[in-house]
Amino acid sequence: MGMNRYRFSRRAEVLGKSVYDHASGVIMLSVGSAYPPILPDLSREAASSAQGYLAEVMQYGPLMGLPELRETIAAYVSEDSVECNAENVLITNGAKHATDLACRVFTEAGDKIIVTAPTYMTTLQCLRSHNLDIVAIPQDDDGLRTDLLEQRLETMRANAETLPKLLFDVPDFHNPTGITMSLERRKHLLRLSEQFGFVILEDDPYRRIRFEGEAIAPIKSMDQNGMVVAIGTVSKILAPGLRIGWAIGAPEIVRRMALQKSDGGSCPFTQRLVIEAIRSNKLHEHIEIVTKTMRTHRDAMIDALAEFLPDAKVRRPQGGYFLWAELPKGVSGDALAAEAVSHGVEIGSGRLCFPVEDPGNFLRFSYSYVDPETIREGIRRLGDAYRKIAG
């Protein structure tokens, strides 16, 4: 076999480790998967869907998604003050599919997109595959620093640079930091989007999984001029294996997104399952179970980190699936994540979440997948790994 037999695309040059690859036989504290004991039993819905809707569920589905599901999602988000109709709703294969379609609709290679530093790591992979120029803006306890964003945008405009077309953020229980953006920042961000002409991709997978505190209005609920595409999913509130997400936006946006699909329309069988689960109130009941369980898991992880890794500064999220921890300066998150695997526990290095420069000393944890006792044991092992590399 000679060299260069295959001529791969530039985006396929990298053959690194995927965030979906996991070491076998280790305690998984890195992955935002559902907690297996509470996965919903949808066998009744599956049977009634297959029997009563055979021609619908075993056929190609409509490009935009099943009309009934689009109506059901519009009603679901209206509980959260987002006013929309079925024509604003596009059904996708999970939330990341919606982000990818939005990038296809709005961007060419080299266009700018604004994200937080850090941000959701698999979205970063998507943005890089579109060859986008990533504008990274820091956060504080109130979320994305809209004051710094405004300065950056004014500087770009003054220098006659092309302005960003999109902004991606997770305003509620941000992945990975757990921060929730304040109402003031949300309003400021919306004003900036109108002033500088970028569309906000508001990714909200965890919004309903709130442990304490008051809910803050979604940015989409304040959007008068169609500047926000709200992205949602049943992955965290029902089951990730269903692969059902959605995008809510102006009809001319979501229609164009639908036309970029390469999959013959999202799966009608799982769409029908979601319709049935929402109508029977099973979704709302399941959200309560998930919230109660995840609160217990979060507390177990925070307690274990205080006990076994007290050097780490941990942010306490009010909801969601993830914890973000800062190690002392000079301790490498990459090195600790690698050492942890040999101690039988998998965590995420913060590097994966930084779009540009990585400070080097952050870790990302998920408390969703294993029970509190296993979380505690995993963090105990992590403490051993830490002492080994920190000397």
Side-chain angles (χ1 to χ4, degrees):
M1 300 286 265
M3 289 288 281
N4 294 339
R5 180 168 162 239
Y6 305 114
R7 291 181 293 171
F8 291 117
S9 66
R10 198 171 71 209
R11 73 171 72 86
E13 284 295 318
V14 181
L15 195 63
K17 185 173 177 292
S18 157
V19 295
Y20 299 106
D21 293 335
H22 303 292
S24 61
V26 301
I27 294 175
M28 297 283 300
L29 301 182
S30 58
V31 57
S33 294
Y35 183 47
I38 60 169
L39 284 169
D41 178 359
L42 297 178
S43 52
R44 195 184 313 149
E45 287 81 359
S48 68
S49 297
Q51 286 158 2
Y53 296 91
L54 187 68
E56 174 192 83
V57 302
M58 292 299 155
Q59 191 55 274
Y60 287 114
L63 190 62
M64 296 288 294
L66 295 182
E68 275 181 78
L69 181 56
R70 295 164 68 201
E71 284 160 21
T72 306
I73 296 298
Y76 174 73
V77 299
S78 74
E79 297 168 18
D80 224 357
S81 309
V82 174
E83 295 307 323
C84 67
N85 302 313
E87 64 168 8
N88 300 107
V89 182
L90 168 68
I91 305 303
T92 61
N93 302 329
K96 280 191 286 285
H97 186 212
T99 304
D100 181 60
L101 292 172
C103 289
R104 288 169 191 254
V105 162
F106 282 104
T107 66
E108 324 287 345
D111 280 343
K112 295 187 179 78
I113 185 169
I114 305 152
V115 299
T116 53
T119 189
Y120 179 34
M121 58 196 187
T122 46
T123 292
L124 276 180
Q125 290 178 330
C126 166
L127 305 183
R128 288 177 180 135
S129 77
H130 285 278
N131 291 314
L132 300 182
D133 180 6
I134 295 173
V135 178
I137 304 293
Q139 301 176 98
D140 61 17
D141 291 342
D142 287 324
L144 186 141
R145 288 280 306 272
T146 50
D147 56 332
L148 298 181
L149 173 59
E150 187 167 19
Q151 287 171 13
R152 285 285 290 279
L153 291 166
E154 280 171 351
T155 303
M156 284 178 193
R157 185 177 268 172
N159 292 339
E161 289 182 59
T162 55
L163 292 170
K165 287 184 171 176
L166 293 175
L167 175 143
F168 172 85
D169 196 17
V170 184
D172 289 289
F173 321 128
H174 180 275
N175 181 354
T177 62
I179 294 167
T180 293
M181 189 189 286
S182 70
L183 185 62
E184 275 313 301
R185 295 272 174 93
R186 292 175 196 227
K187 289 176 175 171
H188 190 199
L189 188 58
L190 196 50
R191 289 198 303 274
L192 292 177
S193 75
E194 289 165 358
Q195 194 182 336
F196 292 94
F198 59 85
V199 168
I200 297 169
L201 304 181
E202 180 181 22
D203 188 16
D204 245 346
Y206 324 101
R207 179 172 173 82
R208 304 288 179 115
I209 305 169
R210 174 175 280 282
F211 310 143
E212 60 247 339
E214 288 300 306
I216 297 172
I219 304 172
K220 183 64 183 167
S221 69
M222 303 179 262
D223 175 27
Q224 299 298 311
N225 298 308
M227 299 307 289
V228 181
V229 175
I231 295 172
T233 177
V234 301
S235 289
K236 307 303 185 194
I237 55 176
L238 195 58
L242 292 168
R243 307 311 308 131
I244 296 291
W246 58 84
I248 298 170
E252 62 193 290
I253 296 177
V254 292
R255 180 69 193 160
R256 284 168 201 266
M257 287 170 64
L259 290 166
Q260 292 297 318
K261 284 187 173 189
S262 56
D263 61 2
S266 304
C267 173
F269 189 41
T270 51
Q271 290 183 62
R272 175 55 59 187
L273 289 184
V274 173
I275 295 168
E276 303 294 311
I278 293 178
R279 286 198 180 150
S280 67
N281 209 35
K282 195 171 265 189
L283 175 65
H284 285 83
E285 289 165 9
H286 192 69
I287 290 171
E288 285 182 30
I289 295 167
V290 173
T291 303
K292 203 171 135 189
T293 309
M294 290 304 113
R295 184 191 291 123
T296 312
H297 287 207
R298 176 203 63 180
D299 293 346
M301 185 174 272
I302 288 176
D303 292 348
L305 283 162
E307 184 175 348
F308 299 115
L309 193 56
D311 288 0
K313 283 205 306 220
V314 179
R315 184 184 292 281
R316 183 186 189 88
Q318 290 189 316
Y321 275 47
F322 297 98
L323 268 193
W324 185 242
E326 183 177 359
L327 298 167
K329 288 271 185 287
V331 179
S332 158
D334 269 354
L336 181 52
E339 184 62 37
V341 171
S342 59
H343 283 74
V345 59
E346 187 175 290
I347 55 167
S349 166
R351 173 180 55 81
L352 301 170
C353 304
F354 283 98
V356 200
E357 300 88 17
D358 166 29
N361 60 322
F362 285 87
L363 298 176
R364 174 186 182 262
F365 297 93
S366 170
Y367 44 76
S368 64
Y369 183 58
V370 297
D371 62 66
E373 295 69 38
T374 312
I375 288 172
R376 182 180 157 79
E377 172 59 18
I379 300 294
R380 187 194 66 72
R381 295 179 188 186
L382 181 64
D384 292 345
Y386 175 78
R387 280 185 292 282
K388 186 161 180 196
I389 69 154

